[in-house]
Amino acid sequence: MAQFELITSQNDIGVAQRAFERLLDSAMPRCPGTFMIGYQGGNVETKSLRSNRDIWHHRQIVTEGVKYPRYWNAFGLAADLRSTGSNKITVEINSPIVGAAPAVAGLFAREVSSGRLALLHSGKVGGGKAGVGQSAFVGWFDGTPVQVSNAERRGKKREAFLIALLDDPKGVRGVSKFVSAVAAFKARDSTIDLRRMTLQELRRRALAAERLPKKSARTSFVFKRNPYVAGHAKRRADGRCDLCSKPAPFVFDNEPFLECHHVLPLSDGGTDTIDNTVALCPNCHRRMHLDPADTDLERLRRRAVGKG
Ligand SMILES: [Zn+2]
Ligand SMILES: [Zn+2]
């Protein structure tokens, strides 16, 4: 995994932000006219919005009303850009003006081997439903993970995605790819969309995904989980636990509450596929993790493959 060193001085961050701006401006012409950009708590009007075929971009320095003054770099999908009304931000790639702010997801860093400046992102993309945050996107996005250390914190290492090397003439492609991936992730991470799909539709999408979950060498990069596989298991269970057959104990978010369970755990080489996944009530789920009986395992194996 490529190694990067976090940039934290105000001067270095300023140099990196300007390199990032040059990179964006070289590939994204200014859009004539005035645009409204919606953010949490309001709208901002801009005459300096930029766009290419894939994404739009607006930036400004934000110092008021925030804990960490930051370079605010907002991005959205070009296909959604409107000249009237408010434009929704897909993702912000912000950097603190100075230091390393844990609440700000963008990171400027220097590649250790080459000294090149780069833009990284922690993978914390926000939005969507509660409980869907960094780990969900990190497990889902097929980006380039790199290791970044922070000299000011005794070299403490963390992982991030490489978005672009700032002197790469094609660097905007990395930005476009990232913004598009976040947009797809946010659209995909919606139980409402899953609810609209038929069992057959869920099955088709579940089968279309890779058979083996993606796993990287580092533990913080979690298994890639297929939402259609989980959606399929719950739909197939039809409101009843696949083990005890009792109705789900309560309704949550307008759906009978059941939990997805892999019959052969992913950590033991199990696959994130519909023939290895069942939907269980919380009691049975806990039991299967604490003390699975052979007869129960056999029953779930049969349920998963649709024979029980
Ligand atoms: Zn049960
Ligand atoms: Zn489980």
Side-chain angles (χ1 to χ4, degrees):
M1 205 182 287
Q3 302 287 321
F4 287 78
E5 168 71 38
L6 193 68
I7 287 171
T8 52
S9 86
Q10 184 163 1
N11 185 57
D12 288 352
I13 289 174
V15 167
Q17 170 70 22
R18 282 186 290 280
F20 184 38
E21 292 174 5
R22 280 196 300 277
L23 178 87
L24 294 166
D25 294 358
S26 70
M28 299 176 77
R30 209 172 68 77
C31 303
T34 308
F35 294 85
M36 297 273 279
I37 315 259
Y39 63 95
Q40 239 177 352
N43 278 286
V44 62
E45 205 178 82
T46 175
K47 289 186 193 303
S48 54
L49 190 105
R50 293 177 172 273
S51 170
N52 65 10
R53 274 169 46 206
D54 304 314
I55 57 174
W56 60 256
H57 161 59
H58 170 69
R59 63 179 175 250
Q60 63 189 66
I61 294 177
V62 177
T63 52
E64 277 168 37
V66 290
K67 192 170 172 193
Y68 304 102
R70 63 193 66 176
Y71 292 106
W72 184 55
N73 298 299
F75 296 88
L77 290 184
D80 297 340
L81 186 61
R82 300 182 297 167
S83 53
T84 54
S86 180
N87 287 287
K88 211 172 143 217
I89 297 167
T90 298
V91 65
E92 298 173 12
I93 307 181
N94 304 331
S95 166
I97 286 172
V98 61
V104 180
L107 312 163
F108 288 123
R110 192 172 276 118
E111 189 174 30
V112 173
S113 62
S114 67
R116 295 170 81 187
L117 288 175
L119 175 70
L120 314 179
H121 197 279
S122 71
K124 189 178 172 194
V125 296
K129 297 173 85 82
V132 176
Q134 188 168 17
S135 61
F137 182 70
V138 167
W140 184 86
F141 180 50
D142 205 10
T144 307
V146 300
Q147 211 159 51
V148 49
S149 61
N150 182 349
E152 287 182 5
R153 298 178 78 190
R154 284 173 292 141
K156 199 170 186 303
K157 287 186 178 174
R158 60 192 278 203
E159 286 189 6
F161 290 119
L162 173 62
I163 307 299
L165 290 162
L166 299 181
D167 61 0
D168 178 358
K170 292 184 178 134
V172 166
R173 283 189 195 172
V175 181
S176 295
K177 183 186 158 195
F178 177 70
V179 175
S180 304
V182 174
F185 171 73
K186 286 184 173 176
R188 185 173 180 163
D189 163 49
S190 155
T191 50
I192 292 156
D193 287 344
L194 291 181
R195 279 178 221 177
R196 277 201 213 105
M197 294 176 196
T198 62
L199 180 64
Q200 284 70 30
E201 174 88 2
L202 290 166
R203 180 182 166 80
R204 192 176 60 72
R205 287 173 184 252
L207 293 175
E210 304 156 288
R211 270 197 85 73
L212 279 168
K214 271 208 168 176
K215 187 174 66 163
S216 89
R218 304 274 309 173
T219 49
S220 61
F221 274 64
V222 297
F223 290 105
K224 195 167 179 172
R225 298 280 287 271
N226 183 332
Y228 303 115
V229 169
H232 179 273
K234 288 180 192 174
R235 186 70 61 82
R236 185 177 54 192
D238 197 21
R240 287 178 179 272
C241 173
D242 275 327
L243 187 55
C244 68
S245 302
K246 288 184 193 140
F250 57 91
V251 170
F252 175 70
D253 206 13
N254 291 318
E255 290 197 319
F257 186 84
L258 292 172
E259 297 174 331
C260 268
H261 173 70
H262 293 102
V263 183
L264 179 62
L266 301 181
S267 53
D268 291 344
T271 53
D272 186 32
T273 52
I274 60 180
D275 57 4
N276 188 42
T277 306
V278 290
L280 301 178
C281 74
N283 284 348
C284 287
H285 192 192
R286 180 51 58 95
R287 188 148 61 83
M288 288 313 292
H289 280 266
L290 290 176
D291 184 24
D294 287 346
T295 48
D296 291 344
L297 265 173
E298 184 50 34
R299 175 175 166 81
L300 292 185
R301 267 187 221 113
R302 294 177 62 84
R303 291 291 290 174
V305 298
K307 286 186 190 158

